[in-house]
Amino acid sequence: MKRMMIIMGTRPEAIKLCPLVLELKKRDRFSVSVCTVGQHSDLLKDVLKIFGVTADFCLEIDRSHPSIGVLTSQIMEKVGILLSGEKPELVVVQGDTATAFASGLAAFYEGIPVAHVEAGLRTYRLDAPFPEELHRRALSLVAKYHFAPTALSKRNLLREGIAEDSVYKTGNTSVDALRMSLSGALGGVSTCFPPNVRLLLFTAHRRESLGAPLAGMLRALRRVVEETPDVLALCPLHPNPEIRRIANEELFGARRIRVIEPPSFVDFHRLLSQSYLVLTDSGGIQEETVTLGIPTVVMRYSSERTEGMCAGVLRLAGSDEDGIYEVVKRLLEKDSAEYAAMKKPSAVFGDGRASVRIADLLEKSS
Ligand code: UDP
């Protein structure tokens, strides 16, 4: 039996890795252990609970210091000690977080092969997203297996000289999670909204959005909502205290904008599917809205998910107040042809079977 360890540290990693954990655990060839790193402890534990996945190792991280370097070095040290004792034959990491990067590097130093799920996403700008672009590029140097979600991400890796026989196009496991949750298999609750209300879902959490850009995004939202009486906006707030402070300041007294605690991903997926328009700087949410065909304004200047723009569902609006205001205002116009053209589901990010493909590939190569 091949002993593998799956390491995750944030909510999106857990959402995208749990379907794979469940799939790998069905197979006799593998002995799977799960390690959580407390980069976002509470949000991550909630996701594991919904999927019914239990962590075998929980590494606590001191988050009192804001430096990414301090965070990354703690993860490397703790994961390094765990790996040198446990000696799994494969380490699986996902995406581009500090946990994925530091764990991949720790495995590399221990001589343990690394499988990278969601490999090959690029903006080719080290400042956006920061520091994720560095993390994913570095992971491509240390990984043995590269599971690229799309044809574009596979092409990026091949162009960078990664050996073709180590790169596999699998689809994104985020679509597996989305399909599982919308099928009702994971429980959750639906919210009812009056039929004549158009729902706007707003999320922002990126490091490069903090401060003035986030304040501008919220002001744009407030202006649009004030001018459009049939719109209701929901803003699930990321736990980051700086985000909460800015949101409270900019949205104080705003009508028809509800600030809410972050819903579980299952409830969040339902809200997405009920939304008229989504405004976000998130990466994973772009995959979900493209899959569902929910028109989305991406509040960034670049995206590593350009497939969603080609599919027509995503509109890049930058992070400046007036730019966002103009795009959203246009899309909310009655009978907007631009809006109608964006509202079409696309399978460009996956078909819900990425975990099966990854497990098959790992089984074949073991
Ligand atoms: N999500 C959630 N609740 C929320 C906001 C997002 O469960 O209030 C989910 C969302 O469905 C997606 C993931 O979290 O699967 C995206 O995470 P996030 O935006 O924090 O990170 P990113 O994808 O940008 O790394």
Side-chain angles (χ1 to χ4, degrees):
M1 270 217 302
K2 184 155 185 165
R3 293 171 55 245
M4 55 174 75
M5 187 181 288
I6 302 192
I7 306 180
M8 54 184 88
T10 63
R11 172 179 65 192
E13 284 164 274
I15 295 170
K16 292 176 176 182
L17 282 174
C18 281
L20 179 61
V21 171
L22 296 177
E23 184 58 39
L24 291 169
K25 284 194 177 219
K26 285 184 199 159
R27 313 211 178 189
D28 299 336
R29 285 279 269 285
F30 304 126
S31 154
V32 179
S33 62
V34 172
C35 170
T36 61
V37 175
Q39 198 182 331
H40 280 174
S41 304
D42 292 341
L43 294 181
L44 185 134
K45 279 184 200 142
D46 292 345
V47 176
L48 262 57
K49 201 166 151 204
I50 292 173
F51 276 108
V53 167
T54 315
D56 302 281
F57 306 98
C58 300
L59 304 180
E60 295 301 330
I61 301 294
D62 176 4
R63 295 303 320 271
S64 56
H65 199 286
S67 153
I68 313 172
V70 172
L71 168 71
T72 307
S73 59
Q74 283 185 73
I75 300 173
M76 263 198 70
E77 181 182 349
K78 297 207 168 176
V79 172
I81 293 170
L82 178 68
L83 293 180
S84 69
E86 290 297 314
K87 301 193 184 340
E89 293 160 276
L90 181 74
V91 161
V92 180
V93 296
Q94 193 281 338
D96 51 22
T97 63
T99 297
F101 167 65
S103 303
L105 206 50
F108 176 74
Y109 286 142
E110 293 299 320
I112 301 170
V114 174
H116 185 202
V117 176
E118 199 184 74
L121 274 65
R122 299 287 186 266
T123 56
Y124 292 106
R125 288 184 50 168
L126 284 175
D127 63 337
F130 172 86
E132 289 86 355
E133 176 76 6
L134 171 79
H135 292 163
R136 56 202 182 200
R137 284 204 228 170
L139 278 167
S140 298
L141 293 176
V142 300
K144 177 171 179 187
Y145 304 102
H146 308 262
F147 296 121
T150 64
L152 174 64
S153 47
K154 179 171 177 180
R155 260 200 320 276
N156 289 340
L157 291 165
L158 299 183
R159 233 187 358 235
E160 291 168 21
I162 308 291
E164 189 157 8
D165 60 0
S166 66
V167 182
Y168 310 91
K169 180 185 160 228
T170 59
N172 201 308
T173 53
S174 61
V175 181
D176 306 12
L178 181 70
R179 297 241 184 275
M180 284 171 85
S181 77
L182 290 180
S183 74
L186 302 174
V189 289
S190 295
T191 315
C192 275
F193 298 99
N196 52 345
V197 155
R198 291 189 288 172
L199 188 66
L200 245 63
L201 196 55
F202 175 103
T203 79
H205 75 287
R206 301 225 83 78
R207 196 173 287 268
E208 57 273 24
S209 300
L210 291 186
L214 177 61
M217 293 171 190
L218 291 163
R219 278 198 299 273
L221 174 75
R222 188 172 181 156
R223 279 166 62 195
V224 176
V225 174
E226 273 167 8
E227 293 168 14
T228 324
D230 68 336
V231 157
L232 170 70
L234 288 187
C235 302
L237 275 197
H238 195 274
N240 180 329
E242 180 62 2
I243 295 181
R244 294 189 165 221
R245 187 190 62 74
I246 297 171
N248 289 334
E249 229 168 75
E250 295 298 337
L251 298 180
F252 183 75
R255 293 178 58 219
R256 287 180 283 106
I257 300 185
R258 288 195 203 142
V259 172
I260 57 172
E261 285 304 312
S264 77
F265 73 95
V266 180
D267 296 345
F268 188 80
H269 287 162
R270 299 222 174 131
L271 288 176
L272 276 181
S273 66
Q274 292 170 284
S275 294
Y276 186 82
L277 189 68
V278 172
L279 281 71
T280 191
D281 69 355
S282 158
I285 293 173
Q286 294 177 53
E287 292 151 8
E288 295 165 344
T289 56
V290 168
T291 304
L292 295 170
I294 305 293
T296 299
V297 175
V298 180
M299 300 182 293
R300 291 168 57 173
Y301 288 103
S302 57
S303 169
E304 54 293 276
R305 291 164 173 92
T306 47
E307 298 92 337
M309 285 161 212
C310 298
V313 187
L314 306 178
R315 191 69 87 249
L316 209 57
S319 53
D320 150 78
E321 175 182 344
D322 289 338
I324 296 169
Y325 169 82
E326 274 156 32
V327 174
V328 176
K329 187 85 185 152
R330 223 172 46 227
L331 293 174
L332 287 177
E333 273 167 17
K334 287 272 183 250
D335 305 320
S336 155
E338 188 180 353
Y339 176 87
M342 289 170 76
K343 200 172 167 47
K344 47 171 195 247
S346 163
V348 68
F349 289 120
D351 59 0
R353 293 183 51 77
S355 306
V356 171
R357 278 188 205 102
I358 294 171
D360 285 347
L361 288 161
L362 289 175
E363 206 164 336
K364 251 191 244 156
S365 65
S366 63

